[in-house]
């Protein structure tokens, strides 16, 4: 135990640097996933048939395959098609595009629970279809989505831990380095497990707080699981 | 002299400070049908659950035949085999059809062979008039039918006594009759029964004795005629008046 | 690399992936069910402990846990990376499956337990004959989701050197200089596995559904 604490202490600065990268990856992935996710949801719900099919195909493919494969396709595979991306950019892209597929489904659930009547109401006062979506549907959907969506940041934070496999210097990469240097893989990975756990717990508190702050009594999704 | 099957002595039940019932003593003789009446929240259901050891009493004793079931080291599961219980909301096992509901206790608790258990279960279903519904799942049966299956399930264990906890309270009015009819038949067959109910017609016609329970203690008990027409206590009279008034009005609305 | 060899590689990789999943998923289910039963039906201490287990295990990235468990398992018993990795993945999944089963147990009404006890069943008999048959039916849809996650997470044992699909794709991509095709082929196989599994479990759920359950 004393040895382990020493290891933890010695590598903590390194771990914190890695944790900063992990947080960066999470934030960028979440933001990219949010934007692409909204577009996918809108395409799936309101687009012409071909666009709908495309959105569904995207969502199913990204949800039906491991992130690691997506990451390798982007980092190792795209160069053979003439697109070469850095490790970090590849990681951002893989995380963002993957998260988009999940976030799209949260949006879709929220938009569907608002229902067609709000669209009718918007059109009735003379707003165009897309204006109704932008000014009426989306503001409500974003609010409704929060409880279900709040799983995504935590899930994404945990997912980022695979990007060390393309040598991005995240928290897990630091653990691997410590493991090689100390010949103590269990101790090293346990140490970063603690750091991950702390990050997840803090993030969880933050999201619970956000959820409480944004709840409007009586305005909730019919099924919170959606 | 009739043989007592269930003897309750000075039974008390509390939840924290809250006294549910206090110092209840009651004897049920073989073949008797005892009906417990009283306002809601006076501990009638809890009393039945204590008798079935689903919750334990804080004080007092209960005997089933000559066995003190409240004694330390008494095997709860063994006791429950001999006490049939029918719940207000049926509580059939949702994942089993009527026949399997009746059979489960026979095969798992009594360790009967499946063939014997099936024959016995079918006989019990026939007894409650539901042999033709054996393959139906609870969700496919009406409330009245579900309750009759629940009665068959309890009967199948050949209990010494049957406890009924407001067996018709959760039923639509038109379904109450079929359940009461089954219970009436059981009483005539000589089954020993302890029934909590608001069905005064049933109480008057079938009960050997009626016990009026209020605020956790027995106010008065006696044969139906005495209790209904010559109650000793004002509280009994008041309660009976209220309840006939209530049910009378319901009847007018029909 | 010729086509036959390519296909053979992919097929044996798929076999490993399926193998990892077939070990991890049931072992996670058994462990998760036991934990859920402890959580719901045992004392306060086991409730607190299982809750702690769930929070900690679900708060750490699966790959980090996989590494820790892998080194612990392979350090204490002599197992191939395939077995050690599969078992570790099963333990990772157990916390998630515990939550699934717990949720299902809690949605079976408390009255079912009371009714079973009233017939004279012991708590253990009631759990086995009345609670679990209903619970496991209810758990199929969320469990199907977890099955997909475990299939996808089986790609993590790539990092332990197990020759599953992703590792095979990497080898093929090195020898053919066609990384995009190689990884795309791996993606397609994962997708098909996930798709088939969810269809099978959908079918199972319909098959086992209780008629007209209220």
């Amino acid at each position: 135990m004393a040895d382990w604490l020493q290891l933890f202490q010695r590598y903590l600065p390194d771990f914190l640097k890695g944790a900063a990268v992990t947080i960066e990856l999470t934030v960028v992935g979440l933001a990219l996933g949010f934007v692409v996710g909204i577009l996918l949801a809108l395409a799936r719900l309101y687009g012409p048939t071909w666009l709908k099919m495309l959105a569904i195909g995207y969502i199913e493919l990204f949800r039906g395959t491991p992130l690691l494969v997506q990451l390798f396709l982007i980092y190792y595979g795209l160069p053979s098609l003439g697109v070469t991306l850095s490790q970090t950019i590849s990681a951002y892209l893989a995380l963002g595009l993957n998260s988009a597929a999940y976030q799209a489904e949260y949006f879709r659930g929220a938009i569907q629970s608002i229902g067609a009547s709000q669209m009718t109401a918007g059109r009735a006062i003379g707003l165009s279809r897309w204006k109704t979506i932008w000014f009426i549907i989306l503001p409500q959907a974003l609010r409704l989505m929060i409880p279900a969506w709040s799983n995504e940041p935590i899930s994404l934070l945990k997912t980022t831990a695979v990007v060390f496999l393309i040598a991005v210097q995240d928290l897990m990469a630091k653990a691997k380095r410590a493991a090689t240097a100390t010949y103590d893989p269990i101790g090293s990975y346990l140490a970063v497990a603690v750091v991950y756990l702390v990050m997840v717990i803090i993030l969880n508190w933050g999201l619970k707080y956000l959820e409480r702050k944004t709840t409007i009594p009586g305005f909730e999704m019919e099924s919170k699981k959606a | 002299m009739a043989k007592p099957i269930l003897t309750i002595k000075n039974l008390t039940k509390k939840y924290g400070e809250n006294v549910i019932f206090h110092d209840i003593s009651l004897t049920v003789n073989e073949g008797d049908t005892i009906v417990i009446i009283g306002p809601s929240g006076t501990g009638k259901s809890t009393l039945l659950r204590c008798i079935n050891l689903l919750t334990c009493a804080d004080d007092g004793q209960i005997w089933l035949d000559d066995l003190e079931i409240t004694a330390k080291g008494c095997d709860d599961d063994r006791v429950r085999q001999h006490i049939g219980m029918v719940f207000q909301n049926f509580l059939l096992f949702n994942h089993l059809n009527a026949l399997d509901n009746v059979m489960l206790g026979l095969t798992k608790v009594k360790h009967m062979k499946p063939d014997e258990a099936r024959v016995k279960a079918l006989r019990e279903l026939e007894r409650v008039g539901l042999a033709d519904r054996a393959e139906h799942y609870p969700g496919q049966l009406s409330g009245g039918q579900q309750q009759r299956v629940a009665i068959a399930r309890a009967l199948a264990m050949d209990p010494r006594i049957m406890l009924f906890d407001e067996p018709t309270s959760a039923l639509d009015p038109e379904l109450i009759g079929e359940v009461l009819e089954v219970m009436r038949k059981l009483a005539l067959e000589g089954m020993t029964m302890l029934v909590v109910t608001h069905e005064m017609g049933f109480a008057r016609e079938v009960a050997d004795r009626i016990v009026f329970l209020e605020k956790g203690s027995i106010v008065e008990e006696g044969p139906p005629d005495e209790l209904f027409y010559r109650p000793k206590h004002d509280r009994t009279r008041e309660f009976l008046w209220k309840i006939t008034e209530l049910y009378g009005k319901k009847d007018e609305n029909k | 690399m010729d086509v036959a060899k390519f296909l053979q590689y992919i097929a044996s990789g798929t076999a490993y992936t399926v193998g990892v999943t077939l070990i991890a998923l049931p072992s996670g289910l058994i462990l998760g069910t036991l934990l859920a039963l402890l959580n719901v039906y045992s004392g306060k201490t086991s409730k607190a402990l299982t809750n702690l287990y769930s929070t900690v295990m679900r708060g750490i990235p699966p790959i980090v846990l996989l590494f820790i468990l892998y080194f612990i398992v392979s350090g204490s018993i002599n197992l191939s990376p395939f077995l050690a990795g599969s078992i570790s993945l099963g333990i990772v999944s157990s916390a998630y499956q515990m939550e699934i089963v717990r949720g299902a147990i809690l949605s079976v009404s408390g009255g079912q337990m009371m009714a079973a006890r009233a017939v004279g069943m012991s708590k253990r008999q009631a759990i086995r004959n009345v609670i679990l048959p209903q619970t496991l039916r209810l758990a199929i849809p969320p469990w199907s989701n977890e099955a997909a996650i475990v299939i996808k997470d089986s790609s993590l044992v790539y990092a332990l050197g197990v020759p599953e699909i992703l590792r095979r794709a990497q080898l093929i991509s090195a020898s053919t200089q066609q990384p995009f095709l190689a990884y795309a082929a791996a993606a397609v196989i994962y997708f098909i596995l996930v798709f088939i599994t969810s269809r099978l479990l959908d079918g199972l759920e319909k098959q086992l559904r209780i008629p007209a359950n209220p």
Side-chain angles (χ1 to χ4, degrees):
Chain A
M1 187 71 193
D3 287 353
W4 185 76
L5 282 175
Q6 213 175 13
L7 183 153
F8 192 87
Q9 219 168 12
R10 179 142 60 101
Y11 283 92
L12 188 59
D14 211 25
F15 289 160
L16 290 181
K17 260 185 242 157
V21 174
T22 292
I23 291 170
E24 249 171 58
L25 287 162
T26 309
V27 170
V28 174
L30 202 61
L32 181 60
F34 190 83
V35 175
V36 178
I38 289 190
L39 295 177
L40 281 170
L42 293 180
R44 182 166 184 175
L45 287 171
Y46 300 112
T49 312
W50 65 270
L51 196 59
K52 256 182 211 171
M53 300 313 281
L54 212 63
I56 292 173
Y58 178 100
I59 291 168
E60 292 303 316
L61 269 178
F62 273 84
R63 282 158 46 105
T65 55
L67 173 77
L68 200 50
V69 176
Q70 295 157 19
L71 185 68
F72 283 12
L73 256 177
I74 290 172
Y75 182 63
Y76 295 117
L78 285 186
S80 64
L81 303 184
V83 183
T84 305
L85 301 168
S86 76
Q87 286 131 337
T88 311
I89 298 292
S90 299
Y92 286 160
L93 209 56
L95 289 168
L97 294 181
N98 181 272
S99 179
Y102 291 91
Q103 294 195 51
E105 292 298 89
Y106 293 126
F107 280 115
R108 187 168 69 103
I111 292 173
Q112 279 178 333
S113 81
I114 290 169
S117 58
Q118 289 289 313
M119 176 60 92
T120 316
R123 299 303 294 278
I125 61 165
L127 289 173
S128 73
R129 191 174 157 83
W130 287 104
K131 274 191 175 153
T132 309
I133 290 171
W134 186 254
F135 293 111
I136 311 284
I137 309 265
L138 274 187
Q140 297 182 41
L142 290 182
R143 188 67 69 88
L144 275 183
M145 177 180 88
I146 291 170
W149 176 84
S150 63
N151 294 316
E152 183 61 16
I154 292 174
S155 160
L156 189 63
L157 174 69
K158 291 192 285 172
T159 316
T160 62
V162 300
V163 299
F164 83 99
L165 290 168
I166 60 164
V168 174
Q169 290 302 304
D170 74 330
L171 181 52
M172 187 61 182
K174 305 294 184 191
K176 203 181 169 197
R177 229 168 65 178
T180 326
T182 58
Y183 299 107
D184 180 6
I186 297 180
S188 307
Y189 292 121
L190 266 180
V192 300
V194 171
V195 181
Y196 273 115
L197 188 60
V198 169
M199 287 199 285
V200 165
I201 289 172
I202 292 174
L203 186 56
N204 193 25
W205 278 341
L207 288 165
K208 285 268 143 55
Y209 180 77
L210 176 77
E211 224 176 282
R212 266 206 310 278
K213 278 280 156 189
T214 54
T215 312
I216 301 175
F219 182 64
E220 280 143 20
M221 263 207 267
E222 282 150 28
S223 99
K224 289 213 163 144
K225 277 182 186 164
Chain B
M1 177 85 193
K3 182 171 174 269
I5 290 205
L6 185 77
T7 315
I8 302 173
K9 253 194 195 143
N10 308 102
L11 205 68
T12 297
K13 172 78 188 169
K14 298 178 228 168
Y15 281 123
E17 290 290 287
N18 199 359
V19 177
I20 305 299
F21 53 77
H22 176 67
D23 218 9
I24 302 263
S25 296
L26 186 67
T27 306
V28 184
N29 288 326
E30 186 153 32
D32 273 4
T33 297
I34 310 283
V35 170
I36 303 179
I37 60 172
S40 329
T42 44
K44 294 170 300 196
S45 294
T46 314
L47 178 61
L48 290 193
R49 278 172 202 194
C50 279
I51 296 170
N52 206 11
L53 303 181
L54 287 168
T55 51
C56 37
D58 294 286
D59 207 2
Q61 291 150 299
I62 305 171
W63 283 267
L64 184 65
D65 292 315
D66 297 326
L67 178 73
E68 191 198 335
I69 61 175
T70 41
K72 261 194 191 135
C74 183
D75 184 350
D76 297 9
D77 300 330
R78 264 201 110 71
V79 171
R80 289 196 202 99
Q81 286 182 41
H82 301 295
I83 302 179
M85 177 97 174
V86 175
F87 298 93
Q88 185 178 341
N89 43 358
F90 334 134
L91 296 180
L92 290 182
F93 303 131
N94 291 320
H95 63 303
L96 300 176
N97 64 27
L99 183 66
D100 289 334
N101 257 283
V102 182
M103 274 176 70
L104 192 68
L106 296 175
T107 53
K108 301 296 172 188
V109 178
K110 292 206 153 181
H111 303 291
M112 240 185 223
K113 291 202 188 81
D115 294 345
E116 287 172 46
R118 181 182 307 274
V119 172
K120 168 115 175 113
L122 273 173
R123 206 164 51 228
E124 299 301 344
L125 282 175
E126 215 167 75
R127 213 164 148 191
V128 298
L130 285 173
D132 57 330
R133 293 286 189 276
E135 303 292 326
H136 285 55
Y137 283 84
Q140 299 168 314
L141 297 170
S142 74
Q145 291 171 332
Q146 288 190 54
Q147 192 61 296
R148 282 148 68 197
V149 174
I151 293 172
R153 176 174 73 181
L155 284 175
M157 302 300 287
D158 292 324
R160 297 288 293 150
I161 181 170
M162 288 278 286
L163 310 178
F164 292 85
D165 183 6
E166 299 197 28
T168 56
S169 294
L171 293 174
D172 291 334
E174 73 271 20
L175 301 175
I176 291 175
E178 58 188 77
V179 173
L180 291 181
E181 189 48 47
V182 167
M183 291 167 63
R184 191 173 289 131
K185 215 175 86 192
L186 279 180
L188 287 177
E189 287 170 12
M191 173 60 75
T192 313
M193 296 169 33
L194 185 56
V195 183
V196 171
T197 187
H198 293 297
E199 294 295 330
M200 292 303 144
F202 175 83
R204 203 174 335 193
E205 187 192 336
V206 182
D208 297 296
R209 259 185 315 143
I210 295 181
V211 176
F212 174 53
L213 198 67
E214 192 192 49
K215 291 186 184 138
S217 37
I218 294 177
V219 175
E220 182 169 353
E221 63 171 298
D225 284 348
E226 213 162 282
L227 213 85
F228 275 100
Y229 301 113
R230 296 178 294 280
K232 291 195 197 82
H233 291 264
D234 289 347
R235 276 148 68 193
T236 317
R237 198 194 318 270
E238 228 167 84
F239 173 75
L240 287 172
W241 186 77
K242 257 191 226 158
I243 204 139
T244 31
E245 161 106 326
L246 188 77
Y247 278 73
K249 272 190 182 154
K250 228 188 196 171
D251 286 338
E252 277 168 32
N253 287 342
K254 265 187 204 167
Chain C
M1 183 179 262
D2 56 77
V3 177
K5 190 137 188 229
F6 178 88
L7 287 177
Q8 189 207 328
Y9 246 62
I10 293 281
S12 86
T14 308
Y16 269 101
T17 296
V18 171
V20 170
T21 308
L22 284 183
I23 294 173
L25 204 53
S27 52
L29 177 65
I30 293 168
L31 190 53
T33 304
L34 288 176
L35 287 166
L37 289 175
L38 276 177
N39 186 281
V40 179
Y41 292 116
S42 254
K44 272 188 187 139
T45 324
S46 37
K47 187 180 207 78
L49 283 177
T50 46
N51 279 339
L52 183 69
Y53 177 86
S54 164
T55 307
V56 170
M57 297 290 281
R58 294 185 306 125
I60 298 170
I63 190 155
V64 180
L65 272 181
L66 178 69
F67 274 38
I68 295 171
L69 291 167
Y70 173 75
F71 284 113
I72 292 175
V73 170
S74 60
S76 41
I77 15 173
N78 192 12
L79 285 180
S80 65
F82 165 69
L83 275 179
S86 306
I87 292 169
S88 303
L89 207 58
I91 299 175
V92 171
S93 176
S94 70
Y96 297 88
Q97 299 202 47
M98 166 191 153
E99 291 299 333
I100 290 171
V101 176
R102 191 173 74 116
I105 291 177
L106 293 180
S107 65
V108 174
S109 84
Q112 292 287 312
M113 175 57 100
M114 190 162 60
R117 299 304 298 274
V119 183
M121 278 187 230
S122 66
K123 202 166 170 182
R124 191 182 286 252
Q125 283 179 317
I127 289 173
R128 214 183 114 188
N129 296 304
V130 176
I131 305 293
L132 277 185
Q134 297 185 45
T135 298
L136 295 180
R137 278 187 178 85
L138 285 173
I140 294 175
W143 195 73
S144 162
N145 205 26
E146 178 63 17
I149 290 173
V150 171
I151 293 174
K152 290 187 281 171
D153 276 357
S154 77
S155 66
L156 300 178
V157 301
Y158 151 90
L160 306 174
V162 177
E164 45 72 76
I165 303 173
L166 192 56
R167 177 64 72 176
R168 299 292 190 178
Q170 193 184 36
L171 293 173
I172 294 169
S173 95
S175 63
T176 58
Q177 298 300 314
Q178 291 278 8
F180 192 85
L181 283 182
Y183 291 121
V188 169
I189 291 172
Y190 279 113
F191 185 77
I192 292 172
L193 289 178
V194 168
F195 184 82
I196 291 175
T197 306
S198 80
R199 278 302 129 93
L200 284 179
L201 288 172
D202 269 6
L204 184 69
E205 202 245 340
K206 290 210 182 73
Q207 190 99 50
L208 293 179
R209 192 174 291 164
I210 302 160
N213 197 23

